[in-house]
Amino acid sequence: MRKYLLAIISTLLLAAPSFAKDKKVTVSLFTDYNIGDTLKVFGSTGMELKSAYAVIDTMPGNKYNKMLHVFTTTTGCYVEVPLPEGMTGTTASANYDRVSAIINVPQGQKNCLGKKLVIYYGSKKASETAVTLTEGKGTTVTVSQTKVSAPYDKAIRIGLASATNSNYYIDNIYLVTKDYGYDYTVKEETARYWADMIGKSIGVCVNPDQLNDARVGQTIYRNFNLVVGENAMKFDATEGSRNNFNFNQGDQIVNWALKHNMAVRGHTLAWHSQTSQWVHNTEYSKEEMFAILKNHIFKVVGHWKGKIREWDVVNECLAENVGRGVGQGYQLRSADESVWYRRCGEAFIDSAFVWAHQADPDAILYLNDYNIGHWGNGHYENGKTHAIYNLAKRLKDSGIPIHGVGMQMHTSISGLQVDQIEETVKQFAAIGLKCIITELDMPGSKPSSDAEQKTQATKYAGLASIICRYDNAPSMVVWGIADNRSWLDDSEKSKPLLFTGEFEAKPSYISTRDMFRTQAERITGIEDIEDDGTFIEEPEFVDVYSLAGVKIYSNISRNEVESLPAGLYIVGGKKVLVK
Ligand code: XIL
């Protein structure tokens, strides 16, 4: 009997998120040491100082509580205290934004007053912050720290700057940070985990510099399984002068994404905006413009062949405010606005898809636009929704390799109508095209109230529900990782996204995550067929269905099931998870 990779999903009761509490981890209370143990002391240049020393001691009048007694000589004497198991200076400073400690200044040690508390990891300084201390008394001080990079020391160095030739006590050293409302290092608490489980994508746009920032990078790869360059793969970023390609920014994103097992969207090949100036500067002939576009597409798509799952081939090619209706054509963005349309005519669209397909036959190709997703009558977006439908249908009917449309979904909390999006998705399913969410942001009022943010959470979950339930809607992508990192003006106030500026998961994230989780639990109520006594015989060849019941493979050998793309399928009436 074939062994399949099957999963039984346990119902996890996740604690309701609470936001922005402090979370602490203990570095040392010095209780584990013996009186008289010594710790090393380092100077500000990172050299060990033999003249100064630090010893585990009790304080007069407090003989049960062990503390660290520091005896300084020169201006910078910093005691090295080991970090908790598994932590390095890099992770400690990336994951905890503050350090807290008790500093006790004995009577007469005036040199310790009015000084700065300094924190190092190895020889890298993470904080130098003035603290207020009182003679003859212990004071709890908390200082902010910045991130340090390698060397990856497993200890923190702490001490008062310029407290020369004096002594003082240190106790209760903690690392402190905000509690982000959920623990994204526990994979079951992330939307990514559940989206992966059901073969759906939850994506975000990124810029290469964000990936090197530990906190931003982790927020991205732990919570999302798809990335798209916000600007890195656009025409002006990749072909700044004719036939002179620069893939550096895009490479950074692609390599990072692959390292973290994420899929990549390519954005975008033929767009009127962010096209290099040289394309506009010369009045190229029609033939030359076609050649330029062809070369661009072949070089760019070819460069990332096999690494980029899907491309926005043509972006924003439709005119706004057109209301013709289904079957009544479409109106393209004007020749004034679009250099491609002006010089090539409509055929630039058809050609772009054909060339992208030739450059990477496995890439999934999308026509992407904004104000799409309102199928019903009587709404300003309705005309454009019908227009993209008419155009996509024309392309598909003419045999052009188009696989779907992308709804950018730069919308608003009040404007978004989830039921209309669902209707749009259904209409595209009926003509065999995918219909995905590619650039979602959902701003509210400025400022957006808590009540409005709750509505936002409900609407995000509504969209996630569509993604979960429709086979032709495999992904949703948000346009920005955090509310303060959005292309929208005043986004800190209108709060359009899934994370706060401090990378706390917002209600919108939690509701989205919960929707993916609920769906995954619902459809993966599966048991290992080897343990299923009722399962006696398996035919050698099987049909494979999607969860929605659409047949995707006919009569394939059972052995092949294991090597299908990761996802959930129905085989022989059973749900099967291929990892
Ligand atoms: C935006 C980026 O977010 C900005 O950083 C850039 O300055 C302009 O472009 N539709 C698209 C995206 O297809 O490429 C746009 O991205 C937003 C609108």
Side-chain angles (χ1 to χ4, degrees):
M1 210 181 286
R2 298 274 346 138
K3 181 157 170 56
Y4 293 98
L5 287 163
L6 298 178
I8 301 168
I9 312 303
S10 57
T11 309
L12 288 164
L13 289 173
L14 300 178
S18 56
F19 296 106
K21 282 184 313 201
D22 271 351
K23 183 167 81 179
K24 268 186 181 181
V25 61
T26 307
V27 175
S28 193
L29 307 175
F30 301 107
T31 45
D32 299 344
Y33 291 85
N34 295 317
I35 303 286
D37 286 353
T38 56
L39 277 73
K40 288 180 179 171
V41 180
F42 290 82
S44 44
T45 57
M47 294 281 290
E48 189 177 346
L49 295 177
K50 295 291 185 186
S51 52
Y53 65 101
V55 58
I56 304 297
D57 201 355
T58 57
M59 247 183 15
N62 191 352
K63 63 180 178 190
Y64 300 109
N65 181 17
K66 286 180 246 175
M67 295 186 180
L68 185 64
H69 200 171
V70 187
F71 293 84
T72 68
T73 49
T74 174
T75 51
C77 296
Y78 307 112
V79 192
E80 188 169 85
V81 183
L83 285 167
E85 186 69 36
M87 210 181 258
T88 66
T90 315
T91 55
S93 61
N95 293 313
Y96 293 88
D97 55 17
R98 282 158 288 153
V99 176
S100 142
I102 294 176
I103 312 277
N104 198 309
V105 179
Q107 282 295 349
Q109 295 298 321
K110 294 198 179 356
N111 260 359
C112 298
L113 303 177
K115 298 290 164 20
K116 289 177 171 166
L117 187 71
V118 183
I119 309 292
Y120 281 88
Y121 294 94
S123 56
K124 296 277 164 71
K125 193 185 284 178
S127 183
E128 179 169 350
T129 310
V131 288
T132 306
L133 303 172
T134 308
E135 210 179 321
K137 175 170 178 300
T139 310
T140 300
V141 294
T142 304
V143 296
S144 305
Q145 65 171 348
T146 54
K147 292 183 294 292
V148 301
S149 51
Y152 304 92
D153 298 74
K154 297 196 170 80
I156 186 171
R157 292 182 193 165
I158 180 166
L160 294 171
S162 311
T164 47
N165 297 318
S166 51
N167 75 86
Y168 61 92
Y169 296 85
I170 302 181
D171 203 0
N172 293 18
I173 306 176
Y174 297 104
L175 293 167
V176 187
T177 195
K178 284 207 181 111
D179 183 343
Y180 291 98
Y182 79 121
D183 182 350
Y184 70 3
T185 63
V186 178
K187 60 184 186 326
E188 289 84 355
E189 295 199 22
T190 68
R192 173 179 181 160
Y193 176 76
W194 300 104
D196 278 342
M197 178 83 68
I198 58 174
K200 297 289 182 172
S201 298
I202 176 163
V204 60
C205 76
V206 298
N207 294 298
D209 55 334
Q210 297 175 334
L211 309 176
N212 302 321
D213 179 311
R215 180 85 209 165
V216 190
Q218 287 205 43
T219 305
I220 294 168
Y221 78 78
R222 290 188 191 275
N223 296 298
F224 298 87
N225 54 12
L226 170 67
V227 283
V228 52
E230 182 168 11
N231 291 299
M233 294 181 190
K234 291 174 178 173
F235 199 114
D236 59 357
T238 49
E239 195 179 351
S241 59
R242 192 169 177 183
N243 200 26
N244 214 331
F245 288 88
N246 181 344
F247 299 119
N248 180 23
Q249 287 197 58
D251 279 344
Q252 289 182 52
I253 294 175
V254 169
N255 295 337
W256 184 89
L258 296 181
K259 186 171 120 198
H260 293 292
N261 269 323
M262 306 173 87
V264 186
R265 305 195 81 234
H267 176 78
T268 178
L269 301 169
W271 186 24
H272 66 283
S273 183
Q274 289 178 274
T275 301
S276 304
Q277 208 44 52
W278 64 266
V279 180
H280 299 271
N281 287 349
T282 306
E283 278 292 325
Y284 291 110
S285 68
K286 183 173 181 173
E287 288 68 30
E288 236 178 327
M289 269 309 260
F290 270 113
I292 287 167
L293 186 58
K294 180 176 182 179
N295 183 50
H296 183 80
I297 292 177
F298 267 88
K299 294 277 167 61
V300 174
V301 176
H303 177 75
W304 287 299
K305 181 173 187 287
K307 294 183 174 171
I308 289 192
R309 182 178 78 184
E310 61 198 48
W311 276 100
D312 285 332
V313 177
V314 174
N315 196 31
E316 302 184 347
C317 70
L318 287 159
E320 285 179 43
N321 302 323
V322 282
R324 296 189 184 191
V326 175
Q328 295 173 40
Y330 43 86
Q331 188 181 317
L332 294 181
R333 181 177 294 277
S334 73
D336 281 352
E337 282 182 88
S338 167
V339 70
W340 302 112
Y341 184 45
R342 181 161 72 244
R343 306 244 172 90
C344 303
E346 178 168 354
F348 88 88
I349 300 172
D350 305 47
S351 298
F353 276 94
V354 170
W355 292 326
H357 181 65
Q358 288 173 343
D360 184 352
D362 292 329
I364 306 168
L365 306 181
Y366 286 97
L367 176 67
N368 196 47
D369 216 320
Y370 58 89
N371 290 357
I372 306 298
H374 199 286
W375 190 265
N377 286 321
H379 189 276
Y380 76 100
E381 292 183 9
N382 153 261
K384 205 169 172 189
T385 307
H386 293 173
I388 200 168
Y389 175 89
N390 295 339
L391 171 57
K393 187 167 184 318
R394 175 187 76 71
L395 293 168
K396 188 168 161 47
D397 289 349
S398 2
I400 298 293
I402 177 175
H403 305 113
V405 300
M407 303 181 281
Q408 290 187 2
M409 219 158 290
H410 296 294
T411 172
S412 66
I413 299 175
S414 58
L416 177 71
Q417 296 187 35
V418 174
D419 57 337
Q420 289 296 324
I421 308 293
E422 180 161 355
E423 185 56 31
T424 306
V425 166
K426 274 191 200 168
Q427 296 289 340
F428 279 98
I431 56 167
L433 286 173
K434 295 182 199 293
C435 180
I436 63 171
I437 298 169
T438 55
E439 300 178 20
L440 172 60
D441 40 34
M442 214 193 288
S445 325
K446 302 173 182 175
S448 181
S449 66
D450 287 353
E452 202 182 33
Q453 290 283 299
K454 271 196 184 160
T455 306
Q456 182 192 59
T458 308
K459 292 198 172 184
Y460 263 99
L463 295 178
S465 165
I466 296 173
I467 301 305
C468 287
R469 288 180 292 114
Y470 287 86
D471 271 8
N472 73 319
S475 40
M476 66 190 272
V477 179
V478 292
W479 207 245
I481 183 64
D483 280 346
N484 62 350
R485 287 156 203 248
S486 157
W487 72 305
L488 298 171
D489 290 339
D490 284 340
S491 60
E492 295 96 324
K493 292 191 188 139
S494 64
K495 303 181 187 156
L497 298 166
L498 298 175
F499 289 88
T500 70
E502 285 79 42
F503 297 103
E504 295 157 21
K506 290 174 53 185
S508 52
Y509 178 83
I510 301 297
S511 66
T512 302
R513 187 272 317 270
D514 286 350
M515 184 53 73
F516 279 109
R517 185 187 63 188
T518 304
Q519 184 70 1
E521 287 173 349
R522 192 171 74 74
I523 62 183
T524 56
I526 51 179
E527 291 161 41
D528 191 324
I529 49 175
E530 288 198 313
D531 297 337
D532 180 351
T534 63
F535 196 80
I536 297 162
E537 204 186 324
E538 290 176 335
E540 198 183 334
F541 293 95
V542 291
D543 292 338
V544 177
Y545 296 84
S546 73
L547 291 171
V550 178
K551 193 194 279 184
I552 28 190
Y553 301 97
S554 286
N555 224 21
I556 64 166
S557 133
R558 270 204 174 260
N559 303 348
E560 287 177 61
V561 173
E562 275 175 307
S563 42
L564 293 177
L568 269 165
Y569 302 93
I570 299 175
V571 182
K574 300 254 175 193
K575 285 167 194 143
V576 172
L577 175 68
V578 177
K579 284 193 179 169

